[in-house]
Amino acid sequence: MSFLKIERLTKRYDHITAVDGISLEIERGEFISLLGPSGCGKTTTLQMIAGFTDVTSGRIVLDGRDLAEVPPAKRGLGLVFQSYALFPHMTVAANVGFGLEMRKVNRADRDRRVAAALQLVGLSSMADRYPRRMSGGQQQRVALARALVIEPNLLLLDEPLSNLDAKLRDEMQGELRDIQERTGLTTILVTHDQSEAMALSDRIVVLNKGAIEQVGPPEAAYKTPSSHFVASFLGRTNTLEGNREGPSVSVKDQRWTVGEDGNSGPILVAVRPERISFGETGLKGIVRKRVFQGSQWFFEVESEAGPIVVLAPNDSRRLPGTGDTVCLAWQAEDMRVLPRDRAV
């Protein structure tokens, strides 16, 4: 049996459906990200799991226990939110130990568990410091330690890194994943940041308009999106209009054999920018923009099939300049063919 099982979970507010009958199974020790734009239902789903939002219909079963009648405080969950919500008048140790104190844990056991949690997040030397004297990243570690110290059976993270600057966010992502792997704690992260979801997750759950669009490992979701929405939301992609005739796919005068039969007719072809190369043959276009980005070059090309973005590595190859006429090429295995009825 799955550790967490969500069955046809639905939340309605009057005539608005925020979560529309989603079902999901999560194994013990997995790191899952609920990914999607604002209003897709990801935070509402997390709040229903936590017990802060009533369920309209459906079931949430955690480790064999139906949570329908279990109040939030009895669910045994660790929670970390976007706002750190630390008590400014309490030291780090007091903040971390607050939940244990509310649970009537004896002083000796409380001190031991607080010390272990602070060591886990690398803050042992700051136990007596107050939050106002700490950086954003340090405060976020305190919030994480406070969630971990109660020894939860499930950790829920609601955009916990969104208040940090880019460099610190990258550092905290690595630390968060390392802590999760060391503890083996089943974790659900809510985020709208695609790179964060791909860096942290065992599986990504892509949500759109209250429904699940795709579930899968980050690499699979990125390489083989199930819809135009997933292709465009999970990283940058080029979506081109084309046609299909059995195993043959064409965009303008370029043609590929995809190796499997399909219904003939109009299609969309999704190609990631890094899979497109400049060559002697291919789809013709003119470079309209060229931007240096350190490890790579960013190109905007006006092609016969419409605007195309290309990402080329910064290596010894000669690359075209602005205004140059180019040919764009990619392999059949580098594109994803999407039927027109899944384009929106």
Side-chain angles (χ1 to χ4, degrees):
M1 179 182 293
S2 298
F3 182 65
L4 177 65
K5 190 172 185 178
I6 296 170
E7 298 178 337
R8 301 180 299 280
L9 192 63
T10 300
K11 179 60 184 178
R12 297 189 184 92
Y13 297 97
D14 295 326
H15 300 296
I16 298 174
T17 301
V19 177
D20 192 8
I22 68 172
S23 295
L24 178 67
E25 295 188 15
I26 298 173
E27 300 302 323
R28 189 184 299 273
E30 268 198 297
F31 195 123
I32 298 292
S33 286
L34 305 182
L35 176 68
S38 298
C40 72
K42 56 187 185 296
T43 294
T44 302
T45 299
L46 198 78
Q47 289 176 338
M48 286 191 285
I49 295 171
F52 300 146
T53 297
D54 292 335
V55 174
T56 302
S57 63
R59 298 175 71 222
I60 303 170
V61 180
L62 178 62
D63 201 15
R65 180 175 62 158
D66 193 328
L67 298 183
E69 303 300 327
V70 181
K74 300 293 185 180
R75 297 190 179 193
L77 309 180
L79 308 169
V80 181
F81 298 105
Q82 183 176 348
S83 60
Y84 313 132
L86 303 179
F87 297 113
H89 62 286
M90 290 184 179
T91 65
V92 166
N95 266 285
V96 173
F98 182 77
L100 297 177
E101 188 175 354
M102 293 298 97
R103 288 167 171 79
K104 309 299 183 183
V105 176
N106 68 69
R107 181 62 180 270
D109 194 26
R110 189 165 73 237
D111 289 347
R112 176 187 61 79
R113 288 167 64 175
V114 167
L118 290 177
Q119 183 177 15
L120 187 63
V121 299
L123 291 179
S124 296
S125 63
M126 296 186 179
D128 297 326
R129 188 169 297 188
Y130 288 89
R132 63 179 177 273
R133 297 180 53 220
M134 306 181 78
S135 68
Q138 290 168 340
Q139 290 185 50
Q140 189 57 274
R141 289 188 184 93
V142 176
L144 180 59
R146 184 177 57 189
L148 295 173
V149 76
I150 64 171
E151 299 175 354
N153 48 28
L154 179 65
L155 180 63
L156 304 180
L157 308 173
D158 191 0
E159 308 220 33
L161 309 182
S162 59
N163 285 337
L164 305 179
D165 62 54
K167 184 175 184 297
L168 187 54
R169 187 163 59 246
D170 289 344
E171 293 175 359
M172 281 299 298
Q173 285 176 9
E175 292 183 16
L176 182 59
R177 181 60 176 174
D178 181 61
I179 290 170
Q180 190 272 336
E181 289 178 341
R182 278 188 282 155
T183 60
L185 190 57
T186 309
T187 302
I188 301 176
L189 168 72
V190 160
T191 183
H192 64 274
D193 187 321
Q194 303 94 324
S195 61
E196 183 172 281
M198 288 190 285
L200 290 171
S201 310
D202 294 313
R203 287 189 295 154
I204 293 175
V205 181
V206 184
L207 291 166
N208 182 31
K209 298 178 180 178
I212 293 177
E213 289 265 347
Q214 185 168 353
V215 181
E219 186 176 4
Y222 184 81
K223 288 185 175 180
T224 57
S226 62
S227 68
H228 178 243
F229 173 81
V230 176
S232 59
F233 188 81
L234 196 59
R236 181 182 282 131
T237 195
N238 297 289
T239 306
L240 310 173
E241 294 186 354
N243 283 283
R244 180 167 195 161
E245 296 178 6
S248 180
V249 169
S250 63
V251 176
K252 292 299 181 180
D253 61 348
Q254 301 301 305
R255 189 173 296 275
W256 299 263
T257 299
V258 295
E260 55 186 23
D261 279 329
N263 295 329
S264 297
I267 56 166
L268 291 179
V269 172
V271 190
R272 299 293 183 186
E274 67 273 17
R275 307 309 301 173
I276 301 174
S277 61
F278 298 108
E280 298 297 323
T281 61
L283 198 66
K284 292 182 173 58
I286 298 174
V287 176
R288 298 301 186 191
K289 183 185 290 187
R290 166 177 146 144
V291 179
F292 180 62
Q293 296 183 334
S295 62
Q296 63 186 12
W297 286 89
F298 171 91
F299 294 88
E300 285 185 1
V301 178
E302 186 61 45
S303 80
E304 302 170 295
I308 293 179
V309 171
V310 180
L311 295 176
N314 179 25
D315 53 24
S316 57
R317 292 179 298 170
R318 181 185 177 278
L319 296 171
T322 303
D324 286 355
T325 298
V326 295
C327 292
L328 305 176
W330 60 86
Q331 301 300 314
E333 59 266 26
D334 293 328
M335 65 184 182
R336 180 68 170 164
V337 178
L338 304 171
R340 294 289 299 184
D341 61 0
R342 303 191 70 178
V344 294

